[in-house]
């Protein structure tokens, strides 16, 4: 199992590195595919993966990514309203084909998966985005690795025993400090290329700490959904890791935070 998990992790990381370096439409297409798979996994939890609300969610995901590519998100609230109206139309005209929970799940799923993950592409499109986008991985997977190591070594106090018994308060603190250090070192080493001074590099380190905190919320939130619906993994696409949502659970909500915080720091 460890060998399988390690190899699949290396493959996934290699793919991420390749598409993040390429950027542009290569990354856009990759994130679109990842989002569609993630939406499918979440739809399957609510048993709408091949039903009208779920199919509409796939279509809305494609529309959202095309809006980002060709128009940006100048007025995303129009998209939100249109998506809600479409789902309410499906709910009303197919009644009682779907329950309210399934309709709300489709509405939630589009934003929880597709919109949030699209911020990886949006971060890459920022000025100096080729450097800033890596902070998403550092804050998510980097802090997770640090939290795991610290938790194994000195973890004693459970952070959320009912939701995630293996996670400890010590591990969480280690994850945040680890992310602060990693992003701080990253910022200082690349300060000239990124175009920030010492103060800017320190602010990026702070962004890393905030991103680590947020990533833990994303991890636990994904676990909470799984526990509510008594499933072990969202899927089996990534051997040893589960599905897309199992591997990208922390990145989902870290990406938009990093996007907005980095935008603020770069504007300082």
């Amino acid at each position: 199992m460890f060998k399988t998990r390690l190899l699949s992790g290396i493959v996934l990381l290699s793919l991420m590195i390749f598409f993040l370096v390429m950027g542009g439409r290569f990354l856009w297409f990759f994130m679109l595919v990842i989002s569609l798979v993630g939406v499918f996994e979440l739809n399957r939890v609510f048993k709408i993966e091949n039903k009208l609300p779920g199919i509409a969610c796939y279509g809305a995901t494609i529309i959202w990514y095309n809006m980002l590519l060709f128009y940006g998100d100048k007025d995303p609230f129009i998209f939100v309203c249109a998506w809600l109206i479409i789902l309410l139309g499906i709910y009303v005209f197919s009644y009682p084909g779907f329950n309210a929970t399934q309709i709300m799940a489709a509405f939630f799923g589009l934003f929880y998966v597709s919109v949030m993950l699209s911020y990886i592409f949006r971060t890459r499109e920022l000025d100096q985005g080729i450097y800033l986008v890596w902070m998403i991985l550092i804050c998510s997977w980097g802090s997770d690795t640090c939290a795991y190591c610290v938790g194994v070594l000195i973890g004693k106090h459970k952070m959320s025993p009912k939701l995630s018994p293996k996670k400890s308060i010590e591990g969480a603190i280690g994850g945040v400090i680890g992310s602060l250090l990693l992003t701080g070192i990253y910022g200082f080493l690349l300060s000239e290329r990124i175009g920030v001074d010492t103060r800017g590099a320190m602010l990026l380190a702070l962004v890393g700490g905030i991103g680590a905190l947020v990533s833990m919320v994303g991890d636990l939130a994904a676990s909470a959904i799984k526990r509510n619906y008594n499933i072990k993994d969202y899927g089996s696409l990534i051997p040893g890791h589960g599905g897309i949502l199992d591997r990208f659970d922390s990145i989902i909500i870290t990406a938009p935070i990093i996007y907005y915080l980095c935008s603020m720091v770069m504007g300082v």
Side-chain angles (χ1 to χ4, degrees), residues 123-134 186 190-196 266:
T123 303
R124 178 63 174 80
E125 291 296 293
L126 288 172
D127 291 337
Q128 305 302 326
I130 190 172
Y131 302 112
L132 297 174
V133 73
W134 302 102
Y186 182 77
L190 296 178
S191 57
E192 291 186 7
R193 293 191 178 186
I194 298 175
V196 296
M266 297 305 293

Side-chain angles (χ1 to χ4, degrees), residues 86-223:
I86 289 170
L87 284 177
L88 290 177
I90 293 174
Y91 184 42
V92 169
F93 293 110
S94 64
Y95 190 85
F98 306 103
N99 60 52
T101 300
Q102 291 174 312
I103 298 299
M104 288 186 283
F107 183 79
F108 167 75
L110 177 68
F111 296 101
Y112 174 64
V113 181
S114 304
V115 173
M116 302 290 264
L117 281 177
S118 71
Y119 276 88
I120 296 177
F121 168 72
R122 295 185 63 190
T123 303
R124 178 63 174 80
E125 291 296 293
L126 288 172
D127 291 337
Q128 305 302 326
I130 190 172
Y131 302 112
L132 297 174
V133 73
W134 302 102
M135 291 187 61
I136 297 174
L137 299 188
I138 293 173
C139 294
S140 300
W141 294 347
S143 66
D144 185 55
T145 301
C146 291
Y148 174 79
C149 293
V150 173
V152 168
L153 291 173
I154 61 173
K156 294 181 179 180
H157 302 86
K158 302 299 181 183
M159 183 170 64
S160 182
K162 291 184 178 180
L163 185 56
S164 187
K166 294 183 179 180
K167 289 184 174 13
S168 66
I169 294 175
E170 292 84 357
I173 295 173
V176 173
I177 294 175
S179 183
L180 276 167
L181 292 174
L182 289 173
T183 52
I185 294 170
Y186 182 77
F188 279 110
L189 289 176
L190 296 178
S191 57
E192 291 186 7
R193 293 191 178 186
I194 298 175
V196 296
D197 54 16
T198 301
R199 177 170 172 266
M202 292 177 66
L203 287 174
L204 287 177
L206 181 60
V207 168
I210 296 172
L213 285 171
V214 171
S215 74
M216 293 177 195
V217 176
D219 187 3
L220 292 172
S223 297

Side-chain angles (χ1 to χ4, degrees), residues 27-86:
L27 180 60
W28 174 86
F29 181 74
F30 179 68
M31 294 315 304
L32 171 59
V33 172
I34 291 293
S35 296
L36 287 171
V37 175
V39 167
F40 172 80
E41 291 175 352
L42 189 64
N43 284 344
R44 187 165 52 191
V45 174
F46 298 98
K47 304 186 187 307
I48 56 171
E49 71 275 15
N50 57 1
K51 297 181 180 178
L52 191 54
I55 294 171
C57 198
Y58 308 139
T61 295
I62 295 172
I63 292 172
W64 170 256
Y65 270 87
N66 277 278
M67 284 178 59
L68 283 182
L69 184 63
F70 296 107
Y71 305 106
D73 60 345
K74 295 179 181 178
D75 195 356
F77 192 66
I78 294 176
F79 179 79
V80 176
C81 292
W83 178 230
L84 179 59
I85 291 169
I86 289 170

Side-chain angles (χ1 to χ4, degrees), residues 234-250:
Y234 284 103
S236 56
L237 180 64
I238 310 171
H241 293 269
I244 289 298
L245 294 184
D246 295 294
R247 187 63 275 183
F248 285 78
D249 50 5
S250 58

Side-chain angles (χ1 to χ4, degrees), residues 9-21 27 30 34:
I10 292 173
V11 171
L12 178 61
L13 183 59
S14 299
L15 285 173
M16 285 296 298
I17 291 173
F18 173 78
F19 285 105
L20 287 176
V21 170
L27 180 60
F30 179 68
I34 291 293

